[in-house]
Amino acid sequence: MKTLPYETIICVDLRPFNPTQPDYGVGDYIHMLGFKPDVIVFLNFFVDFVHRHELIDDMQLGRMTVGQRGTPSDYSWTKQNLAELIRCMKEAGISPFLGILSSTSSDVWKDVHIDWEFKEILQTKRGDQLVWGSAINPLKRFKDGTYYEDFFARDLLKVLCDYQFDGYVAGDGMLGLRGPRETLLDTDFSEDMTDQFASFHGLKLPEFTNYDLRAAYIVEHYFAEWVQFYVQRWGQHVGKITSMLHTQGKSMMAIDAWSRNPEELITAFGIDYRVLHQQGLKAVFVQARETNKWRKHREGEYVREENSVYTFLTHKAYEPGIRYYWAEATINLPEFWNSVLDLPHVLERETYGYLWTMNWREGVFSKAVDGICVIWGNDLTEEQWRWLVQRWSMAFEQISSFKAPAGLTLLWNELGINQLTSQNKIFGYRFAKLLDLGLCIQSIVHADQLGTKGMENWLQSYTDQQMVTFDRTLIEQFPDLADRMFIVHEDYIEYGGFRYSWQEGVELMKRTCGLRTSRGRVLGFENKDGALVLSLENPENLFYEHIELKVPFEIGSGDIKVLPPREWFAIPESTEGQSTKISVAPDASTQVVVQRSKQS
């Protein structure tokens, strides 16, 4: 079976496999996929599996472990069956990873939970309540003062070695407290965590017997210090785990803490990818999925596509050493949603929105997204897998011919990283607003990359590229870019020493870069043939729209190519001068390649 020309990771429970077959159903699963994934993560495991392990025998695995959150399975599984399944995976050339989730009970199936008696390790929130799923807080201490993470790292290594997993994936709540609604403003203000906090900063806190009063005092007087404490603790946590795993050649990856961009991620969950990468974290699965996080769970504006474009761009600019995978939402049986069946049009435009993001570093552009991670890979049909692979492959095939950004490039620095308040989310909101107003911004440059040689390289390679930034000091830092830099403020846009209203500033940006649509969003790039490869988006509209596209060069009717599966969505005889019309389906996107006219 073929391996795709880009990295693929699939997260599963045990239900797709069959312990009665000689290869445990691995061959049938790969056949259904139509490709051989690079990594399979057995994500539906919990801390009891790690701590109750002694040897591999015929003991049955619990219901929470076999099926996602206790979903019934056609087969019962033993520890020996699991070991044989992993052996078959490795023989097939697939790397198996063990994923651990922080929950201790199912929210779907009645009376389904794991064997866990250490209540002092559970995560708490305002009201002195437990969070969803009675999740653990991996940073806590036992009653005797010993750190839970020390036992976890030791027992985890034994499990990985005994079963021959290649590494560990920290699932929901295991690297960033269980959220997403519960952030560091709400959790975990237990006496254990606040004592650790006070010790870390050398503070003497008032004694509060009331949980909410203790939380309110810390948030009001020491919120920045509270964030810094959690950043340090998560770094310490990862360092303990990876230092043990690396002795046996095993690595650590993680599901992100609820798909925030770097500025928000630090203040919301105390997760700093630069710190974690320095401690040995290899990769992150970024939960950028409007399909379920916005449409199903209503988790706020930050999970919509335009915000997630900003998330991928800034993650890669901030810490390029980590590998970032798009954790795509497909089907979640116990949560009762199916993105592939119900929202394929949104999945499709997300594919191009995320997989075409580009980061400029050391003189070249490279992809911000390193591969695909499917969550979950349990309940899709063969036809649905073919549908997904077609979209991924076309997106990666097109971006492989990248030459230069279309539209504008985001010039980014770490202004928001250093603002340890909830106000730093304004940068993501401004970026999203620019995209929604029809500006094409799908590339990023970290200001640190524009030293003397970097600046010379940029000016020589991208002579006409316009830039947008949120920090006015950058125009003083880079005077050579002053005539091509738009500074976006909350109430106005600055360019060339003049202030413009948002409406005027956006119109000026469109005129300057020469790319615009009559409505909707546009993303894309220039390929090596000098053509524009664009994704035209019609988000949340209830009708098919004839969107007029204007480009910065002359085009003829034969210069427009609409990519599959909407090859016939170009409007006949609409092309004239520098414009053409394309049909875009409701809440969807159409991908088009626009060649320069040979007549011009």
Side-chain angles (χ1 to χ4, degrees):
M1 185 61 66
K2 67 178 180 180
T3 300
L4 297 176
Y6 43 88
E7 292 186 66
T8 52
I9 299 173
I10 302 179
C11 298
V12 296
D13 60 20
L14 296 179
R15 291 180 297 121
F17 306 102
N18 185 344
T20 69
Q21 294 184 4
D23 71 344
Y24 283 74
V26 172
D28 288 344
Y29 186 67
I30 294 175
H31 178 77
M32 182 183 66
L33 298 179
F35 65 94
K36 184 173 67 176
D38 298 291
V39 174
I40 282 187
V41 180
F42 293 95
L43 184 58
N44 213 53
F45 283 76
F46 303 87
V47 293
D48 65 328
F49 178 75
V50 171
H51 299 301
R52 309 300 180 196
H53 172 69
E54 293 181 359
L55 51 84
I56 296 175
D57 55 20
D58 290 330
M59 179 183 291
Q60 284 199 347
L61 298 175
R63 180 173 166 181
M64 281 272 284
T65 296
V66 174
Q68 183 192 351
R69 285 172 31 199
T71 301
S73 172
D74 293 335
Y75 305 100
S76 61
W77 285 79
T78 67
K79 296 169 71 174
Q80 185 64 50
N81 291 152
L82 176 61
E84 289 298 310
L85 173 60
I86 293 168
R87 178 185 61 80
C88 293
M89 284 275 180
K90 301 190 86 164
E91 288 179 354
I94 300 171
S95 178
F97 273 64
L98 174 66
I100 301 291
L101 300 169
S102 66
S103 304
T104 62
S105 64
S106 174
D107 63 325
V108 179
W109 306 104
K110 187 176 180 179
D111 298 326
V112 177
H113 52 79
I114 69 169
D115 179 18
W116 187 253
E117 73 271 26
F118 302 104
K119 303 298 184 183
E120 69 268 31
I121 302 300
L122 299 182
Q123 180 184 339
T124 61
K125 63 178 181 178
R126 300 269 184 147
D128 202 9
Q129 300 292 311
L130 298 180
V131 298
W132 177 94
S134 297
I136 72 163
N137 176 350
L139 307 182
K140 280 190 166 181
R141 296 176 291 191
F142 290 107
K143 290 179 180 178
D144 64 2
T146 55
Y147 285 91
Y148 165 74
E149 62 198 1
D150 294 332
F151 291 90
F152 178 74
R154 180 200 64 195
D155 292 351
L156 175 66
L157 182 61
K158 177 173 173 52
V159 168
L160 297 181
C161 290
D162 287 357
Y163 281 93
Q164 292 300 298
F165 286 105
D166 288 341
Y168 160 60
V169 172
D172 293 348
M174 296 302 289
L175 194 59
L177 294 180
R178 193 64 170 83
R181 294 174 180 87
E182 294 79 22
T183 69
L184 292 185
L185 291 170
D186 313 296
T187 182
D188 178 326
F189 295 93
S190 60
E191 289 185 3
D192 175 33
M193 293 309 298
T194 55
D195 285 348
Q196 289 188 48
F197 163 68
S199 177
F200 173 71
H201 284 292
L203 298 173
K204 178 64 175 177
L205 299 176
E207 294 186 9
F208 293 100
T209 57
N210 181 280
Y211 188 100
D212 287 357
L213 289 177
R214 184 165 58 245
Y217 180 85
I218 291 174
V219 168
E220 180 180 356
H221 298 283
Y222 294 109
F223 182 67
E225 291 83 359
W226 181 242
V227 170
Q228 291 166 343
F229 159 69
Y230 266 96
V231 167
Q232 178 270 341
R233 279 296 287 118
W234 283 119
Q236 184 182 47
H237 176 79
V238 169
K240 287 182 177 181
I241 294 173
T242 57
S243 62
M244 297 194 73
L245 266 55
H246 291 170
T247 64
Q248 300 299 318
K250 301 185 185 300
S251 59
M252 177 180 177
M253 301 188 288
I255 294 178
D256 76 344
W258 320 112
S259 69
R260 310 267 182 138
N261 52 63
E263 299 100 329
E264 290 186 67
L265 194 60
I266 292 172
T267 52
F269 298 104
I271 294 297
D272 186 323
Y273 286 150
R274 180 174 293 166
V275 171
L276 300 185
H277 179 61
Q278 292 169 351
Q279 294 295 330
L281 184 65
K282 174 186 176 184
V284 173
F285 309 158
V286 180
Q287 299 180 85
R289 44 206 208 202
E290 178 180 316
T291 47
N292 77 307
K293 294 177 77 66
W294 167 254
R295 305 304 178 98
K296 168 71 174 178
H297 298 296
R298 301 294 179 183
E299 291 177 10
E301 293 288 336
Y302 74 91
V303 300
R304 304 184 75 176
E305 180 198 349
E306 59 269 41
N307 287 275
S308 294
V309 171
Y310 181 75
T311 289
F312 276 117
L313 289 172
T314 51
H315 273 331
K316 200 65 173 183
Y318 179 58
E319 181 42 72
I322 288 183
R323 300 188 69 75
Y324 297 98
Y325 298 88
W326 174 30
E328 181 176 13
T330 53
I331 296 175
N332 193 313
L333 190 153
E335 289 189 8
F336 309 103
W337 52 261
N338 185 331
S339 297
V340 185
L341 181 65
D342 299 329
L343 295 166
H345 47 295
V346 181
L347 271 182
E348 193 168 45
R349 61 177 169 81
E350 283 188 304
T351 299
Y352 301 97
Y354 306 149
L355 300 187
W356 286 357
T357 50
M358 300 294 284
N359 174 48
W360 194 79
R361 180 175 174 81
E362 297 180 353
V364 295
F365 272 106
S366 60
K367 295 188 293 292
V369 181
D370 294 289
I372 297 288
C373 174
V374 174
I375 301 180
W376 293 76
N378 299 322
D379 301 298
L380 287 85
T381 65
E382 184 174 328
E383 179 182 359
Q384 289 170 334
W385 281 112
R386 300 299 180 273
W387 187 93
L388 287 168
V389 170
Q390 181 188 22
R391 272 72 184 173
W392 302 338
S393 296
M394 191 166 75
F396 276 112
E397 179 184 2
Q398 293 297 327
I399 197 63
S400 66
S401 67
F402 177 94
K403 178 184 178 183
L408 300 97
T409 292
L410 176 63
L411 177 59
W412 185 82
N413 64 357
E414 298 173 18
L415 175 65
I417 299 293
N418 301 316
Q419 295 181 358
L420 299 183
T421 73
S422 59
Q423 296 303 310
N424 61 24
K425 63 180 62 177
I426 62 174
F427 305 110
Y429 288 146
R430 288 179 192 171
F431 180 90
K433 184 177 179 180
L434 292 172
L435 257 59
D436 284 339
L437 290 173
L439 290 169
C440 179
I441 312 171
Q442 213 171 2
S443 57
I444 191 169
V445 177
H446 194 303
D448 287 351
Q449 292 295 304
L450 295 179
T452 302
K453 291 185 178 179
M455 178 63 70
E456 292 176 357
N457 189 317
W458 178 266
L459 292 173
Q460 291 174 3
S461 301
Y462 308 105
T463 54
D464 300 319
Q465 187 67 33
Q466 299 293 312
M467 310 184 88
V468 59
T469 186
F470 305 124
D471 185 358
R472 194 189 187 286
T473 65
L474 293 180
I475 201 169
E476 300 164 1
Q477 185 177 346
F478 304 114
D480 290 344
L481 296 175
D483 62 343
R484 60 170 78 182
M485 190 186 302
F486 291 88
I487 303 98
V488 178
H489 302 269
E490 182 178 1
D491 301 320
Y492 64 94
I493 293 173
E494 184 179 354
Y495 180 70
F498 295 94
R499 292 187 177 190
Y500 299 88
S501 69
W502 262 77
Q503 180 178 357
E504 293 171 326
V506 168
E507 178 62 27
L508 181 58
M509 289 187 205
K510 291 179 180 179
R511 287 205 309 267
T512 303
C513 69
L515 181 64
R516 69 169 66 211
T517 60
S518 56
R519 65 176 302 132
R521 297 195 295 245
V522 57
L523 295 169
F525 58 94
E526 180 185 345
N527 68 15
K528 294 175 183 176
D529 294 329
L532 289 177
V533 183
L534 304 173
S535 180
L536 307 181
E537 302 191 343
N538 179 22
E540 296 192 36
N541 195 287
L542 299 180
F543 304 95
Y544 283 87
E545 291 288 347
H546 289 182
I547 293 179
E548 183 177 9
L549 168 68
K550 292 186 177 180
V551 297
F553 48 77
E554 295 290 320
I555 51 177
S557 59
D559 300 320
I560 311 300
K561 175 186 177 184
V562 180
L563 298 177
R566 298 187 174 87
E567 295 93 332
W568 51 276
F569 273 39
I571 309 301
E573 300 181 3
S574 70
T575 303
E576 182 177 0
Q578 296 179 316
S579 69
T580 189
K581 290 184 179 179
I582 307 292
S583 179
V584 184
D587 211 3
S589 63
T590 298
Q591 288 68 48
V592 58
V593 179
V594 184
Q595 299 280 355
R596 297 174 184 270
S597 173
K598 296 181 176 61
Q599 307 300 323
S600 59

